[in-house]
Amino acid sequence: MRRSLLILAMFFFAVLSTEARADDDRALAFIAHMVRGIQATAMECPEAVLDELSGGQVRAVCAEFDGDFTLFRKRWTLRLLLNASLETESETSPQPQALARTEWQSNADVHERVYSVGDTLVAVRFVGGELLLAYRSDIDVERLV
């Protein structure tokens, strides 16, 4: 998977705090819900992908999606709309709400977008059916977007 300046800018700084770990749990819940919701299959991230992500400071989930970017984007958008139509986050809500921080950025067959889930940034990268969903909460969201 190719590097993106936007993704790399997100993941430059230091160690997660205790509060950041709680935010990471919310980001992971969002990711898990979205992967299931778009009918993708979670998989172990390749070692090369993990090595690319700031020496372990960034958490990542990889998945495979059976379809092209058009189908992926349609399912992703529908899942986000469904989530937004539910009540605000609570114990009965299935997942934290996400806010798009960028538009979809495309470079050849690489498509990326950044969301915030609470105070955590979640980067979504789609490349030919492979998904990389990376997150890190110890960054000032407003400073980067």
Side-chain angles (χ1 to χ4, degrees):
M1 293 184 185
R2 294 183 190 161
R3 293 183 184 200
S4 163
L5 291 178
L6 181 59
I7 302 283
L8 291 176
M10 284 176 42
F11 305 129
F12 239 3
F13 306 111
V15 180
L16 300 172
S17 68
T18 302
E19 184 176 306
R21 286 190 191 104
D23 289 336
D24 282 356
D25 290 343
R26 293 175 61 204
L28 187 56
F30 166 75
I31 290 169
H33 183 76
M34 292 299 290
V35 167
R36 281 190 309 272
I38 64 169
Q39 300 174 337
T41 303
M43 62 182 223
E44 191 169 324
C45 290
E47 194 66 35
V49 170
L50 297 176
D51 290 345
E52 183 180 327
L53 299 176
S54 297
Q57 296 301 318
V58 176
R59 310 289 190 242
V61 173
C62 293
E64 292 178 318
F65 180 79
D66 188 21
D68 62 8
F69 179 68
T70 302
L71 180 59
F72 164 77
R73 186 173 175 177
K74 185 181 293 185
R75 285 190 189 173
W76 184 267
T77 301
L78 288 172
R79 178 55 51 185
L80 286 172
L81 290 171
L82 176 63
N83 295 342
S85 70
L86 301 173
E87 296 179 27
T88 50
E89 186 180 346
S90 69
E91 290 180 19
T92 60
S93 182
Q95 62 126 57
Q97 298 296 310
L99 174 64
R101 302 305 259 169
T102 66
E103 296 297 321
W104 282 103
Q105 306 293 316
S106 296
N107 182 6
D109 62 343
V110 178
H111 308 276
E112 299 172 327
R113 192 170 197 183
V114 177
Y115 292 86
S116 57
V117 178
D119 291 332
T120 301
L121 290 178
V122 176
V124 179
R125 180 185 288 171
F126 179 95
V127 182
E130 294 181 358
L131 292 172
L132 172 64
L133 302 112
Y135 60 100
R136 184 167 178 176
S137 60
D138 63 337
I139 298 172
D140 181 1
V141 172
E142 297 304 321
R143 191 181 77 210
L144 293 175
V145 290

